[in-house]
Amino acid sequence: MKRHITYAVVSIALILSGCAQKTAEEEISAAPAETAQEFIDRANAELKELGKEVGAANWVRSTYITGDTAIIASAASEKYAKWHGGMVQQALKYDGQQLDAKTQRAIDLLKLGTSLPTPNDADKRKELTSIATDLGGMYGAGKYCRNDDDCLTGSELEGLMQTSKDYDELLEYWTGWRTIAPPMREKYERYVELANEGAAELGYTDLGEMWRAGFDMSPAEFETEATKLWDQVKPLYEELHCAVRGKLSEHYGEDKVPLDGPIPAHLLGNMWAQEWGFIYDIMEPYPGVGDIDVDSTLKTKDYSPQEMTRSAENFYVSMGMPRLPDTFWERSQFVAPQDRDVVCHASAWGLDGGNDLRIKMCIKQTYDELRVIYHELGHNYYQGAYKDQEPLFQGSAHSGFHEAIGDTVTLSMTPQYLKEVGLVSSAEESEKAVINRQMQMALDKIAFLPFGKLIDEWRWGVFSGAISPEDYNKSWWDMRLKYQGIAPAVERSEADFDPGSKYHIPGNVSYTRYFLARILQFQFQRSLCEIAGHEGDLASCSVYGSKEAGDKFYAMMASGQSEPWQDALEKLTGTREMDATAIIDYFQPLMGYLKEQNAGRSCGW
Ligand code: X8Z
Ligand code: ZN
């Protein structure tokens, strides 16, 4: 059994493509007796063609949001959904047959080949694909307007949240962005109903169970697996939370940030309080020690978005991977167009079966964005690596693998690497400099963990019915409190729909992938560093320039999803288990520092 994928990041082919002119029933009766292998060959051939059409429609929709592109994209999604539904029905005739492992895997993957299962009823199918397109468009075109000619886009508001340290100003941006979401609520409710119906027709109890089925283990086992990993890393998060709350309380005052409660959700330098790197200035353990101010280099040298992207490409090339094709540079969206609405949330596209790679971003001149580019190119290199697999095997070992490639590379952006490529002027290796860098990384990598876990826990509850529409917002904030120890500074109610203000909710992109990736990337890095012959602690390792590490990494990527993820992981790391010991070991130096800082404090919320 395997994953599902989304057009946001992975191969467009499986999700949203399609072109079936007949109903599924007609197909079944009309189809000549095909062997399972012949059936899979046909599915692959059709998928290849459909993928091009759907990819093109979705690209245009995401980079040019209008009523017209909504029609085009919905029609393409509908076509794919119809094709997919028909093929899954046809695959039923192979149930119970003894098939070779590859053919069986291809059939299993075909069944899971959508993140948006639609009902077979034509009207409902159309309704669901058009709701999904609309929700994505509402997010992309969302704006907070103080008045008619004073509007801010999501991307602009995100930027403002990163730089302001003014409590009230931050609160305005925070509440302002959330005004885009209440109009999504009704559509979201209907999307849940219809997508669940689609999942039920495929044999799952609900869409959440279908999402959890994509991990080469049972959905129940996967849930246990995710909880196991969270339990491993929770102590790290609790120390970080405690130290951050202490400093924010000093900065904003104890009346604003009490020392025994949750942190106000708008003070963490990020619209969703998911990564906290932008409050590094408040948290910096040893002021001025170690130069990791890449932002100022980008500004001083006035790096263009393309130059920032070249820097990322050069890293992959240094590991022996190919240069990106010319079409990547011609067709990508690097900056926000001024004349139209687009989805600014970063994504990487493997169009035409991976032959047409692109990123879609609204790049800003910051170190944070530079790391997002390295992340996105990880997707593109994966897509390029598995492009010679059959379409049904084009995808990552599991969805967390896709997210982990580029992140693994960012772990190699050590001060020495940054110095070597001219992004900082000096690279200090003192103990204090190490702690400073670890703090900067932990604010992103550790702070993210509970957020990465809870997003889908909320959705699993919504899809299963454990969370009812009357409690959408309340349950969202209950989970934010429970996992992250954060709370809104102003009262929220069911007139709000705060989940809708986070891209992946209206975008229908599952999120556990990012949680898994945060853990996996340290496992990957530990192995790559061993292969590269690195000596010393993991945090000081950069595999920049290591062809040996690159070969092994690329080989794993090239196998796509043709084998269970456990096999792929074992080939690279020697283990078949996801495990948090690598991330825990990595941050040991910082944990020592945080425990000292927190001594005498009462942590928790
Ligand atoms: O959505 C993304 C990437 C695109 S795959 C930019 N990320 C998550 C997010 O922004 O919420 C990367 C980290 C988590
Ligand atoms: Zn990604």
Side-chain angles (χ1 to χ4, degrees):
M1 300 269 277
K2 277 269 77 33
R3 48 119 237 191
H4 81 285
I5 49 180
T6 84
Y7 67 85
V9 287
V10 199
S11 55
I12 308 284
L14 291 192
I15 348 154
L16 303 161
S17 49
C19 112
Q21 302 306 319
K22 303 173 188 166
T23 65
E25 298 74 50
E26 282 167 339
E27 291 268 6
I28 288 172
S29 56
E34 270 177 322
T35 64
Q37 186 55 55
E38 284 163 352
F39 171 70
I40 286 303
D41 289 346
R42 178 164 64 85
N44 275 321
E46 289 178 6
L47 200 47
K48 189 161 181 274
E49 284 313 304
L50 302 174
K52 289 185 202 172
E53 188 177 344
V54 175
N58 281 291
W59 175 267
V60 172
R61 168 65 177 165
S62 297
T63 57
Y64 204 133
I65 302 176
T66 65
D68 298 328
T69 57
I71 292 170
I72 294 166
S74 300
S77 304
E78 200 185 329
K79 214 166 162 186
Y80 175 74
K82 187 173 175 183
W83 176 82
H84 181 255
M87 291 305 272
V88 171
Q89 285 206 23
Q90 291 170 56
L92 292 176
K93 62 177 175 284
Y94 305 105
D95 276 4
Q97 286 190 14
Q98 275 297 333
L99 304 175
D100 66 87
K102 285 279 175 209
T103 310
Q104 186 60 56
R105 186 168 179 81
I107 288 182
D108 293 342
L109 286 168
L110 176 66
K111 288 182 182 164
L112 284 164
T114 181
S115 57
L116 188 70
T118 57
N120 271 323
D121 176 272
D123 290 341
K124 287 183 178 173
R125 187 192 299 129
K126 192 179 178 69
E127 186 185 354
L128 179 55
T129 50
S130 118
I131 288 176
T133 303
D134 287 350
L135 285 170
M138 287 163 87
Y139 183 93
K143 282 177 200 65
Y144 160 55
C145 298
R146 289 183 183 120
N147 54 55
D148 278 356
D149 46 271
D150 181 12
C151 291
L152 292 163
T153 64
S155 174
E156 287 164 346
L157 287 161
E158 260 189 79
L160 291 165
M161 293 286 299
Q162 293 166 355
T163 46
S164 173
K165 292 285 183 303
D166 182 292
Y167 187 96
D168 293 327
E169 198 179 302
L170 285 166
L171 193 54
E172 188 203 347
Y173 302 142
W174 189 94
T175 46
W177 177 240
R178 280 156 182 76
T179 59
I180 68 151
M184 295 176 187
R185 186 187 260 264
E186 211 176 299
K187 284 184 193 287
Y188 196 79
E189 272 183 55
R190 185 69 179 144
Y191 143 90
V192 171
E193 270 170 31
L194 292 172
N196 272 342
E197 211 174 305
E201 287 176 19
L202 293 176
Y204 299 96
T205 55
D206 61 73
L207 181 56
E209 192 193 60
M210 183 171 168
W211 283 5
R212 292 191 299 278
F215 292 88
D216 294 305
M217 56 176 76
S218 76
E221 282 166 342
F222 179 68
E223 213 170 329
T224 309
E225 180 77 6
T227 303
K228 175 197 93 177
L229 294 170
W230 167 239
D231 285 340
Q232 274 187 289
V233 294
K234 203 167 149 202
L236 267 63
Y237 180 72
E238 286 170 350
E239 292 294 343
L240 184 67
H241 180 280
C242 195
V244 165
R245 183 175 62 189
K247 288 275 190 199
L248 288 176
S249 187
E250 277 170 31
H251 187 86
Y252 289 102
E254 223 184 305
D255 57 326
K256 296 274 201 295
V257 186
L259 285 170
D260 56 356
I263 301 173
H266 65 297
L267 299 182
L268 290 151
N270 176 279
M271 182 57 85
W272 305 276
Q274 65 179 64
E275 282 151 329
W276 306 347
F278 282 95
I279 59 158
Y280 177 72
D281 49 352
I282 292 179
M283 294 306 300
E284 188 172 32
Y286 303 105
V289 178
D291 174 10
I292 34 180
D293 190 2
V294 176
D295 285 71
S296 73
T297 313
L298 293 174
K299 291 193 170 67
T300 319
K301 297 192 178 170
D302 197 19
Y303 267 68
S304 70
Q306 283 81 351
E307 284 165 337
M308 290 168 71
T309 310
R310 276 282 179 215
S311 155
E313 183 201 32
N314 288 341
F315 194 108
Y316 292 88
V317 170
S318 86
M319 294 182 82
M321 299 184 204
R323 289 231 161 257
L324 292 163
D326 289 345
T327 50
F328 170 89
W329 301 98
E330 290 154 15
R331 299 175 187 172
S332 288
Q333 176 195 292
F334 295 101
V335 289
Q338 291 306 300
D339 61 342
R340 59 183 194 265
D341 290 324
V342 300
V343 180
C344 269
H345 189 89
S347 53
W349 299 57
L351 299 162
D352 188 15
N355 290 303
D356 181 355
L357 303 172
R358 306 179 197 176
I359 54 169
K360 180 189 61 56
M361 289 185 66
C362 301
I363 297 175
K364 302 183 190 105
Q365 216 174 38
T366 64
Y367 184 30
D368 190 59
E369 288 278 285
L370 185 68
R371 288 190 310 247
V372 176
I373 300 171
Y374 278 63
H375 170 95
E376 295 306 332
L377 290 202
H379 289 306
N380 282 146
Y381 275 98
Y382 213 155
Q383 290 154 345
Y386 59 59
K387 77 175 166 49
D388 297 327
Q389 295 283 346
E390 295 293 349
L392 282 166
F393 290 153
Q394 291 179 0
S396 50
H398 71 48
S399 53
F401 279 58
H402 228 305
E403 298 304 332
I405 303 298
D407 280 9
T408 305
V409 168
T410 67
L411 295 179
S412 281
M413 297 171 84
T414 55
Q416 287 70 24
Y417 162 74
L418 295 172
K419 187 176 169 216
E420 200 173 330
V421 299
L423 285 165
V424 297
S425 49
S426 63
E428 196 179 322
E429 283 182 82
S430 69
E431 229 168 90
K432 288 181 176 171
V434 168
I435 298 294
N436 273 357
R437 173 162 184 265
Q438 289 227 322
M439 175 63 85
Q440 192 178 50
M441 293 182 68
L443 287 169
D444 285 334
K445 305 273 182 195
I446 304 285
F448 180 80
L449 293 163
F451 184 81
K453 177 81 173 71
L454 76 85
I455 301 291
D456 277 354
E457 204 155 307
W458 181 80
R459 274 190 291 199
W460 294 345
V462 164
F463 293 138
S464 76
I467 296 172
S468 58
E470 305 80 71
D471 289 326
Y472 275 174
N473 220 48
K474 181 187 176 301
S475 57
W476 174 259
W477 284 108
D478 286 350
M479 284 191 192
R480 298 268 266 162
L481 178 64
K482 174 181 158 199
Y483 278 101
Q484 288 185 281
I486 66 159
V490 285
E491 205 178 322
R492 310 303 285 166
S493 75
E494 295 304 325
D496 302 303
F497 182 53
D498 295 326
S501 76
K502 175 66 197 159
Y503 167 77
H504 304 72
I505 304 283
N508 188 47
V509 182
S510 66
Y511 210 83
T512 312
R513 62 184 65 202
Y514 301 107
F515 171 71
L516 301 176
R518 270 315 126 119
I519 289 169
L520 269 178
Q521 61 191 259
F522 290 88
Q523 281 183 269
F524 289 172
Q525 180 72 349
R526 184 158 62 182
S527 298
L528 293 178
C529 290
E530 265 169 38
I531 297 164
H534 172 76
E535 283 167 17
D537 56 21
L538 190 53
S540 66
C541 168
S542 177
V543 296
Y544 180 63
S546 171
K547 303 248 180 322
E548 294 80 6
D551 283 352
K552 206 99 188 260
F553 210 23
Y554 205 68
M556 180 182 82
M557 295 191 245
S559 60
Q561 54 181 352
S562 63
E563 57 190 10
W565 65 262
Q566 291 90 341
D567 292 351
L569 185 65
E570 189 173 19
K571 280 186 199 151
L572 182 67
T573 68
T575 166
R576 302 178 63 77
E577 299 262 332
M578 290 187 280
D579 163 57
T581 54
I583 184 173
I584 293 169
D585 289 351
Y586 189 97
F587 284 109
Q588 267 323 298
L590 182 72
M591 281 307 121
Y593 168 83
L594 290 177
K595 284 197 173 118
E596 268 168 42
Q597 294 293 302
N598 293 334
R601 283 183 178 144
S602 115
C603 294
W605 52 87

